[in-house]
């Protein structure tokens, strides 16, 4: 089994590599080779005996996609993307990376398929950003994608391409609409959604965090651990059961900010909760109101995708995976 | 008012030009100039005194889009497309014309907007082919687009681009999801859906027609006359009421083949109905089962788009517009 991960230096890409190396196999076949690609060369995973190639490359540069699949990886995980804020700030860059580079990859596979029957599994990290307000709660699986950002538009277009290339038999694709990842490990970042993680992550290590929105804001979350499990399951499962609708809204936990805080109180106590400082920001609050409150994710659940059941479990996953089990 | 129509030599393009010339105005402004574009130069419209430019051009050729908007048309009607069967038979051509050429047009407008604030109305002819089975009946406005053809995929992607370019303020776009056009005037063609028109059109002039599917097949129709009215209304209406969801499923008449035949009987009598010869074709029947049976089209109706109320009216529109009122 040869796995190619594009966007391997990102948070989820790194966690996916770690998990694959721990498992030593994918879809019942021993993990023999890893090709890890990002704009900066990813770190080599620890404890992997197989063949590992670390590549610094820009997928949007001509010829790069064809080069990456030259060795015919069996499974391709595609995470690489310009994030939402940057895709909104730089229209051309967003379309070049999030749409054109991905299409280059799909085209390279199509040409390889025509040349020698190459037929990889392609697991695409899509996003709940394909949805745009007004949104029902919960959002059913058959709800239309009307994104309100260029990033969401680019993800929604890639979903359509993935379904068409799959239907045409060029590759075996599946799109995974990831919930917001919470608790995102690491330092606070500037993403408008960053507070969903920081109001838990910082208090868990005794630091203050700022909450810019009311407790009533509801959003859709899953842990990094579950997100990685989604990608692994998508790479392993029998896709013949999925049919032509290849883009799946993943399960997750729908929670208000108030629910998140109550879960923090239960897991880490009142002292942690006291570290959350309320600083209302009308701009962030307005943005949040357009975000997805939660999904039914009926098809994904039936197909065996599993997330946490409660926000307590999401916090515990962070404590176990990032803090060595010590709150 | 300067109108640019891309795909002006097609059936709907020609009818739209005729209507505009008859009206002599669009959105309350006198019609002063027409630029009519297609791969073969469109015919000059009769009775038009204004400035008329007839252009034979391939929109997918580099620089063509920029050239077409050089004179800054106020309204752009975009019909040009490779049809469903051809887009399925020639993957690359379908994407080049139906996706890339349209994106070239959108990009040319974006650059013109940056250069001098150019801000046209863009009316895009989309299609119910953005929907793919299994489909509910009626299909609600918020149902997801999961096309089962490359043509439908290309239309769905263009819808997403149109919404994003509009949201960004590069142009004022609206996508019109046209029902199947019935009765399509002219000779029988090879489209799999051609029988919906031919079982009415041929008997109305005393000729035999072949029906390849069972009477129970249900589909979604509008007349050429209504389709042209949709495009005109889309070019004239106040788009500020539409919000960011800029792609609208149009109203129409949902009818089974049996309903169509009963309408023919009422309008043209039993002798016409006897000219329909049943020759079941399992392939065409299977394809039909994936097509849209009908839409709620609630938003479009609220926004003032109007179609026929019955299939009898659809047949009468054909008799009036194509047969000089004589059945």
């Amino acid at each position: 089994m040869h796995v190619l991960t594009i966007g391997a230096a990102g948070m989820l890409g790194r966690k996916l590599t770690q998990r694959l190396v721990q498992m030593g196999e994918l879809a019942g076949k021993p993990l023999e080779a890893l090709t890890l690609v990002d704009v900066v060369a990813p770190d080599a995973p620890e404890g992997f005996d197989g063949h590992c190639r670390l590549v610094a490359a820009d997928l949007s540069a001509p010829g790069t996609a064809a080069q990456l699949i030259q060795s015919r990886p069996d499974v391709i995980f595609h995470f690489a993307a310009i994030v939402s804020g940057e895709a909104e700030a730089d229209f051309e860059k967003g379309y070049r990376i999030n749409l054109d580079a991905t299409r280059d990859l799909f085209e390279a596979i199509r040409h390889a398929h025509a040349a020698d029957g190459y037929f990889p599994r392609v697991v695409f990290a899509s996003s709940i950003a394909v949805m745009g307000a007004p949104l029902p709660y919960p959002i059913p699986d058959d709800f239309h994608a009307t994104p309100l950002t260029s990033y969401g538009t680019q993800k929604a277009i890639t979903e359509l391409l993935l379904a068409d290339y799959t239907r045409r038999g060029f590759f075996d694709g599946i799109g995974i609409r990831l919930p917001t990842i919470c608790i995102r490990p690491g330092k606070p970042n500037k993403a408008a959604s960053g507070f969903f993680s920081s109001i838990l992550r910082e208090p868990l290590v005794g630091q203050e965090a700022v909450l810019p929105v009311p407790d009533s804001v509801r959003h859709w979350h899953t842990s990094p651990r579950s997100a990685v499990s989604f990608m692994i399951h998508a790479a392993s499962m029998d896709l013949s059961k999925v049919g032509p609708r290849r883009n799946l809204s993943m399960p997750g936990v729908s929670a208000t900010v108030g629910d998140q805080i109550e879960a923090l109180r239960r897991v880490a106590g009142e002292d942690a909760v006291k570290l959350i400082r309320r600083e209302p920001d009308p701009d962030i609050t307005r943005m949040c109101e357009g975000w997805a409150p939660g999904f039914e994710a009926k098809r994904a659940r039936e197909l065996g995708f599993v997330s946490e059941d409660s926000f307590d479990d999401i916090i515990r996953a962070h404590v176990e995976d990032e803090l060595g089990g010590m709150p």
Side-chain angles (χ1 to χ4, degrees), chain A:
Chain A
M1 175 63 73
H2 175 190
V3 169
L4 164 64
T5 303
I6 304 170
M11 186 270 287
L12 285 182
R14 280 180 287 121
K15 285 187 178 289
L16 174 68
T17 302
Q18 279 170 18
R19 181 85 67 87
L20 288 171
V21 169
Q22 273 165 23
M23 291 167 62
E25 59 88 29
L26 182 62
K29 290 179 194 154
L31 188 70
E32 284 159 355
L34 283 170
T35 302
L36 306 176
V37 185
D38 214 311
V39 283
V40 291
D43 294 331
E46 284 177 35
F48 181 56
D49 303 331
H51 184 257
C52 182
R53 196 159 66 105
L54 306 171
V55 183
D58 175 359
L59 187 63
S60 71
T64 302
Q67 238 171 343
L68 291 179
I69 61 156
Q70 193 101 57
S71 55
R72 302 292 187 261
D74 303 293
V75 171
I76 301 173
F77 292 104
H78 182 39
F79 289 101
I82 297 298
V83 297
S84 186
E86 193 175 358
E88 203 63 16
D90 189 338
F91 184 84
E92 294 183 359
K93 187 175 181 186
Y95 274 90
R96 190 171 72 244
I97 306 292
N98 294 351
L99 174 52
D100 296 328
T102 305
R103 194 168 162 206
D104 283 351
L105 174 67
F106 290 1
E107 280 289 278
I109 298 170
R110 182 172 72 85
H111 288 298
H113 177 78
D116 59 18
Y118 178 51
F119 189 69
R121 171 81 50 112
V122 176
V123 183
F124 169 60
S126 189
S127 165
I128 57 174
V130 298
M131 298 291 161
L135 293 166
Y137 171 62
I139 301 168
D141 284 332
D142 59 11
F143 196 74
H144 59 173
T146 59
L148 291 176
T149 58
S150 292
Y151 174 84
T153 302
Q154 292 143 11
K155 289 289 186 185
I157 291 175
T158 305
E159 287 189 355
L160 285 161
L161 291 171
L162 177 129
D164 199 40
Y165 278 66
T166 294
R167 189 186 61 80
R168 289 285 194 139
F170 303 141
F171 57 65
D172 207 14
I174 178 160
I176 300 298
R177 281 184 192 157
L178 293 172
T180 290
I181 305 299
C182 192
I183 300 171
R184 215 186 153 77
K187 298 277 166 211
N189 66 17
K190 283 178 186 170
S193 62
F195 69 86
F196 287 123
S197 283
S198 64
I199 58 167
L200 306 170
R201 184 184 57 225
E202 269 63 87
L204 282 168
V205 293
Q207 293 170 14
E208 244 192 14
V210 169
L211 173 60
V213 305
D215 284 27
S216 57
V217 165
R218 180 176 286 282
H219 196 48
W220 186 237
H221 306 270
T222 199
S223 67
R225 187 197 279 186
S226 292
V228 167
S229 297
F230 298 157
M231 300 300 279
I232 302 254
H233 185 56
S236 322
M237 67 186 292
D238 177 6
L239 285 187
S240 67
K241 292 184 295 185
V242 178
R245 291 179 179 169
R246 288 297 179 107
N247 299 286
L248 301 168
S249 296
M250 287 295 110
V253 175
S254 176
T256 63
V257 168
D259 294 337
Q260 289 188 273
I261 294 170
E262 285 316 302
L264 179 66
R265 196 187 315 273
R266 285 189 295 270
V267 175
E270 187 59 31
D271 286 351
V273 171
K274 280 186 181 152
L275 292 165
I276 300 172
R277 204 175 69 236
R278 283 175 170 78
E279 277 184 20
D281 181 322
D283 288 342
I284 296 182
T285 301
R286 207 173 312 113
M287 285 171 73
C288 283
E289 280 160 2
W291 295 344
F295 289 77
E296 280 185 0
K298 194 163 172 283
R299 284 189 70 215
R301 291 184 213 272
E302 284 169 4
L303 289 163
F305 291 91
V306 181
S307 181
E308 287 77 12
D309 287 324
S310 72
F311 226 96
D312 302 49
D313 287 344
I314 285 185
I315 296 175
R316 281 189 205 105
H318 177 79
V319 169
E320 286 169 21
D321 292 350
E322 308 295 332
L323 305 176
M326 315 277 285

